[in-house]
């Protein structure tokens, strides 16, 4: 036995509300780039269910119309979000290697040059003498 429609002769807009709900859920899912494909499938299902609900005789039409509009707008917004996120994650131009003025450590002279900041650097006799004379001059100037 089937139940009789309501006394007013209108059919309940269940398909319209189901389509509207699917369209809203699909819009939310389509705006997340990781699950964009699932969102598009849910949007298509919402659009189709809303379309079927639109052509039911005696049913209220507004939920179906709103469901179809939300499905189309949600698909457009989801596509824009996906494209923007893909473009933002593209690798940008790589900076060229900028030459520096510091000598490389792969030179043939294997001792470390003394720059005044390093302690325990390998120094030649000439370097040590020059450093002693410089520090003696500094001590004299302080006095």
């Amino acid at each position: 036995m089937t139940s009789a429609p309501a006394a007013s002769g209108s059919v309940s807009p269940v398909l319209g509300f189901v389509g509207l709900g699917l369209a809203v859920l699909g819009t939310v899912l389509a705006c997340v780039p990781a699950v964009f494909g699932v969102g598009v499938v849910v949007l298509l299902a919402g659009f189709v269910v809303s379309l079927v609900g639109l052509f039911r005789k005696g049913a209220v039409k507004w939920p179906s119309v709103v469901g179809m509009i939300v499905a189309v707008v949600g698909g457009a917004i989801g596509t824009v979000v996906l494209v923007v996120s893909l473009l933002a994650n593209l690798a940008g131009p790589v900076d060229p290697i900028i030459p520096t003025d510091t000598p490389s450590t792969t030179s043939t002279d294997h001792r470390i040059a003394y720059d005044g900041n390093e302690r325990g650097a390998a120094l030649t006799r000439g370097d040590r003498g020059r450093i002693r004379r410089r520090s003696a001059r500094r001590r004299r100037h302080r006095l």
Side-chain angles (χ1 to χ4, degrees):
M1 293 189 142
T2 59
S3 62
S8 65
S10 67
V11 178
S12 174
V14 173
L15 286 177
F17 283 117
V18 169
L20 177 60
L22 286 173
V24 169
L25 178 66
T27 300
V28 171
L29 291 175
C31 289
V32 179
V35 291
F36 177 76
V38 175
V40 168
V41 170
V42 174
L43 279 171
L44 288 174
F47 185 83
V48 170
V49 170
S50 294
L51 188 64
V52 170
L54 185 66
F55 290 108
R56 271 192 86 183
K57 290 185 180 180
V60 178
K61 307 292 184 200
W62 74 264
S64 298
V65 172
V66 172
M68 289 173 56
I69 292 171
V70 169
V72 170
V73 171
I77 292 172
T79 302
V80 168
V81 168
L82 179 69
V83 168
V84 167
S85 69
L86 289 176
L87 290 176
N89 289 325
L90 286 178
V94 178
D95 291 336
I97 298 175
I98 300 171
T100 60
D101 294 335
T102 58
S104 72
T105 57
T106 59
S107 66
T108 56
D109 187 9
H110 294 293
R111 64 187 175 94
I112 301 172
Y114 180 78
D115 64 355
N117 294 325
E118 296 178 357
R119 299 266 182 203
L123 301 173
T124 63
R125 278 190 180 163
D127 292 335
R128 287 188 197 115
R130 198 173 327 114
I131 293 168
R132 271 191 230 116
R133 285 189 298 273
R134 188 180 328 146
S135 60
R137 268 186 261 139
R138 287 182 185 159
R139 278 191 297 254
R140 276 184 269 163
H141 288 291
R142 277 189 259 164
L143 298 174

